Amino acid sequence: MNASGDGNNNYPMHPENEQRRKSKGRQKIEMAKIENDTNLQVTFSKRRTGVFKKASELGIQCGAEYAIVVYSPGEKPHSFGNPSVEAVTTRFLQANGGGGGAPPARGTIADRRVMAHQEAAENQRNQEVVTAEARVE
């Protein structure tokens, strides 16, 4: 034991031996739209990755099927799903009376976006088929 009897002399970071710096710690960020375009894009990219990762974890841990469609600030769609976005959205629409055919005229914005995503994916596949057929000919 040391002369003071508390045994703290061997620990330089002990509060009694050295003044600790007071940090602000983790600060709470106010939820408001980011005005700076560069910061907005960076935050979107990081948050999008985080959301997709959380969805994947939910699917692994709970066996859930999921589909996420997100439009970037630049209006570019990003999608992620298991087993696929198309399979989940088709199942969703069929369960809610919107299967096959044109989307309901009074569908919600979410329904219209899901249908738009499905149509865009189908158009892309059709274009790939046309391109492949042209190469074969």
Side-chain angles (χ1 to χ4, degrees):
M1 284 251 195
N2 59 20
S4 66
D6 64 4
N8 292 330
N9 289 337
N10 295 331
Y11 302 101
M13 291 302 292
H14 194 276
E16 293 177 11
N17 296 328
E18 184 176 323
Q19 290 289 349
R20 286 190 170 200
R21 291 185 190 160
K22 297 285 184 182
S23 69
K24 291 185 175 185
R26 185 172 175 179
Q27 298 293 303
K28 183 173 183 169
I29 298 172
E30 180 183 336
M31 283 292 127
K33 182 163 187 209
I34 299 170
E35 298 301 327
N36 181 304
D37 289 341
T38 303
N39 293 349
L40 180 69
Q41 186 60 44
V42 169
T43 300
F44 174 81
S45 296
K46 288 181 178 180
R47 292 283 179 117
R48 182 192 69 218
T49 303
V51 167
F52 289 173
K53 183 177 178 182
K54 287 290 184 185
S56 178
E57 291 171 0
L58 180 66
I60 290 168
Q61 290 179 340
C62 303
E65 294 181 5
Y66 52 87
I68 300 174
V69 178
V70 180
Y71 281 85
S72 70
E75 297 298 318
K76 182 178 178 186
H78 300 271
S79 61
F80 182 67
N82 181 42
S84 70
V85 173
E86 288 77 18
V88 175
T89 54
T90 300
R91 182 175 166 195
F92 174 80
L93 291 171
Q94 287 173 346
N96 290 300
R106 295 184 185 161
T108 65
I109 292 172
D111 289 339
R112 291 194 301 266
R113 285 192 172 171
V114 166
M115 291 302 293
H117 177 75
Q118 284 182 321
E119 289 174 11
E122 185 176 343
N123 289 340
Q124 183 179 358
R125 287 190 298 269
N126 288 342
Q127 184 61 39
E128 290 169 0
V129 168
V130 168
T131 303
E133 287 175 346
R135 274 191 252 142
V136 168
E137 291 177 2

